[in-house]
Amino acid sequence: MKAILPLFIFIDACGWEIIKDDRFCNTVAPNRRRLESVFGYSSACVPSILSGRWPDEHRNWCYFVYDPKHSPFKVLTPLQWLPKAITSRRIVRRWLSKLVKVQLKFRGYFDLYNIPFKHISLFDFTEKKSPLRPGGLNRGANISDFLEESGIAHHVSDPSHSETENFDAVLGDVKTGRIDFAFVYWPDLDGLLHREGNQSPEISPKLRGYEERIGRLLDAAYEQYNEVRLYVFSDHGMANCDTLLDLKARIEPLPLQMGKDYAIVYDSTMARFWFFSEDARRVVTETLRTIPEGRIVPDAELERLRCLFADRYFGELIFLMREGVLIVPSHMGERPIRAMHGYHPEEKHSYAALLTNQPEIPAGITAIPNIYKLMVRDALLAREQNRSQGPPEKRAGHRFPATREAPEPALAFSARVTALNFEGEAL
Ligand SMILES: [Zn+2]
């Protein structure tokens, strides 16, 4: 019998507004808190959870950027001559995305989405590695790096497998008692909410299904471990899209040429611009100011959101929709979807959630990157206590040692772990 299993379960898009009036997990994880999300999509949120750092540090923010010098997509340019009826079809795009992913050896999630082939050689794709795997971030370490370097036996979901496969895999590892840490990733609720919206009658059965799975995991874990420290959390919520904005129809008629005067990526809730003349910047800025569905995010605000990049790698101007407005068509999709995330983190449906069986959530845990601190703390605690000889002491009300007291100071990560101590807070 081992002492502790830290069990971190990440349910994509299981936002605060989705669960706040639901009994979700209230018997197994009754302590819950609303968490601030990270500005951007899952491409920004997931790396932030996995590293404890913000987009301006790990540099995983939005998928496509203007970078013709490094674009790996030049080979796709001739596809612009095929009829749009073919090249804009999702099934064709998915098939092509798979082919390109293999050819370019991309390791993470990859989709060509709806980027026009005419302009695709202007763009690079920024998530070439899988953020969950060791070395998977554009800059700095993630939780997998930490666990490997710390010698902590662990289970981390494989995002290329289905939810059921990942559930079976973690259940198998828990049953052996082999691991001292588990990180589980379930993405299906996100897909359901995108399709059906945040009021769908299908949400409740989905949550009940998750509860059933979590219950089975806990039952298996308590066969092998005296204590399971359970955390169920999300990266963002989901807002229904009731207003569609054809932003392209406002930008393309301007007396400017894409690729020559400016470049743009139309994400689904924001547009990101690069300018090649002051004139282009002025014309576009003036036009955007006449569109009430969105607003230009000032640099000071981007900086506060930790999404301001000194080299303007992800865009020089960010035009963000207000919650509920979807850019259609966009480079992410030709047709509308029912609901989306990626609005301002202070919009109602952006907030994420954290649910736990731990009696206290430290005051410093207020935003999703902070989840990393809990993972590191509990992984080190589990390593220490699971290795110690003899029966584990009673842990109710146990005060956890500060991370600086963790053994093995020779660890490459020890300096970083010390720096991660909660500000002014006894653990
Ligand atoms: Zn999503």
Side-chain angles (χ1 to χ4, degrees):
M1 197 85 172
K2 278 187 168 180
I4 296 174
L5 177 69
L7 179 56
F8 284 81
I9 299 179
F10 176 1
I11 302 179
D12 202 315
C14 190
W16 182 253
E17 289 297 317
I18 304 288
I19 56 107
K20 75 167 193 206
D21 297 321
D22 190 282
R23 64 179 194 273
F24 184 53
C25 282
N26 66 1
T27 51
V28 291
N31 195 4
R32 40 166 75 183
R33 181 176 292 174
R34 190 181 81 155
L35 294 184
E36 195 177 305
S37 186
V38 165
F39 180 36
Y41 304 96
S42 296
S43 55
C45 297
V46 176
S48 301
I49 291 169
L50 294 173
S51 68
R53 287 172 291 117
W54 295 78
D56 62 0
E57 296 169 294
H58 54 63
R59 286 179 71 87
N60 286 67
W61 195 42
C62 296
Y63 278 149
F64 288 93
V65 292
Y66 173 77
D67 192 355
K69 227 191 265 175
H70 297 108
S71 177
F73 303 123
K74 292 184 182 73
V75 62
L76 297 175
T77 311
L79 295 177
Q80 68 178 295
W81 307 114
L82 289 175
K84 203 179 166 209
I86 296 174
T87 57
S88 72
R89 287 190 63 189
R90 274 307 290 158
I91 190 156
V92 176
R93 290 251 163 191
R94 280 215 188 101
W95 178 81
L96 262 173
S97 300
K98 274 188 189 159
L99 200 73
V100 170
K101 182 178 169 175
V102 172
Q103 283 295 314
L104 297 176
K105 298 190 172 68
F106 290 170
R107 295 280 176 248
Y109 176 79
F110 176 71
D111 196 319
L112 283 164
Y113 291 101
N114 196 35
I115 300 269
F117 291 118
K118 187 180 170 196
H119 296 132
I120 201 157
S121 64
L122 298 176
F123 301 112
D124 194 7
F125 186 73
T126 64
E127 193 187 285
K128 299 190 175 80
K129 301 177 283 184
S130 172
L132 270 164
R133 299 226 170 102
L137 298 192
N138 287 340
R139 184 179 285 171
N142 63 19
I143 189 68
S144 294
D145 293 308
F146 168 76
L147 293 165
E148 296 222 334
E149 291 189 32
S150 308
I152 296 170
H154 60 276
H155 174 99
V156 174
S157 285
D158 182 340
S160 69
H161 293 167
S162 72
E163 269 195 12
T164 322
E165 287 167 338
N166 273 320
F167 171 69
D168 291 342
V170 68
L171 187 63
D173 273 349
V174 166
K175 278 181 177 167
T176 65
R178 179 189 73 79
I179 52 174
D180 295 331
F181 180 91
F183 182 96
V184 184
Y185 176 57
W186 288 333
D188 289 3
L189 179 66
D190 181 70
L192 168 67
L193 291 166
H194 278 302
R195 282 194 313 274
E196 307 293 335
N198 62 26
Q199 297 300 316
S200 166
E202 292 178 44
I203 296 170
S204 181
K206 187 77 191 162
L207 295 179
R208 306 290 79 82
Y210 285 136
E211 284 170 335
E212 193 264 335
R213 271 191 206 160
I214 291 167
R216 284 176 62 195
L217 266 179
L218 288 174
D219 287 347
Y222 282 117
E223 297 280 311
Q224 301 291 335
Y225 303 84
N226 278 327
E227 182 188 351
V228 181
R229 297 170 70 105
L230 173 68
Y231 302 87
V232 181
F233 59 95
S234 55
D235 47 352
H236 50 70
M238 187 72 72
N240 286 348
C241 298
D242 295 320
T243 307
L244 306 179
L245 175 70
D246 186 353
L247 188 61
K248 243 184 226 183
R250 307 293 288 274
I251 300 298
E252 288 188 349
L254 298 174
L256 301 169
Q257 207 183 318
M258 165 74 171
K260 185 167 162 277
D261 301 304
Y262 73 100
I264 182 169
V265 174
Y266 295 97
D267 292 323
S268 41
T269 63
M270 66 173 118
R272 294 175 288 119
F273 291 85
W274 293 257
F275 300 112
F276 311 128
S277 74
E278 275 315 304
D279 208 36
R281 182 188 299 274
R282 183 183 52 77
V283 171
V284 166
T285 305
E286 281 172 6
T287 305
L288 294 176
R289 291 209 169 112
T290 67
I291 302 174
E293 290 89 346
R295 68 183 177 94
I296 297 167
V297 187
D299 279 3
E301 193 173 345
L302 287 172
E303 191 172 14
R304 184 170 63 77
L305 296 170
R306 308 293 305 269
C307 295
L308 182 68
F309 301 86
D311 60 359
R312 303 288 166 164
Y313 184 59
F314 291 92
E316 296 170 19
L317 182 153
I318 311 299
F319 185 64
L320 173 64
M321 300 303 108
R322 58 178 163 75
E323 188 174 85
V325 179
L326 188 72
I327 301 175
V328 181
S330 74
H331 287 164
M332 296 292 114
E334 192 65 17
R335 283 166 282 277
I337 47 169
R338 181 68 193 96
M340 194 58 214
H341 47 91
Y343 297 102
H344 195 286
E346 286 163 15
E347 298 272 20
K348 183 178 171 189
H349 293 280
S350 292
Y351 287 92
L354 171 67
L355 301 86
T356 180
N357 63 355
Q358 296 303 291
E360 277 177 57
I361 303 173
I365 307 297
T366 59
I368 58 170
N370 306 142
I371 294 166
Y372 183 78
K373 296 179 186 176
L374 297 174
M375 293 197 284
V376 167
R377 180 191 71 175
D378 285 12
L380 290 172
L381 184 73
R383 183 184 67 177
E384 184 194 324
Q385 304 225 355
N386 292 352
R387 276 182 188 172
S388 62
Q389 299 295 310
E393 50 194 275
K394 187 168 161 37
R395 267 166 255 292
H398 181 74
R399 303 299 294 175
F400 304 113
T403 45
R404 67 178 170 275
E405 291 168 19
E408 303 191 25
L411 280 176
F413 268 82
S414 56
R416 197 172 306 144
V417 169
T418 304
L420 277 169
N421 236 329
F422 300 101
E423 292 80 11
E425 201 175 336
L427 285 173

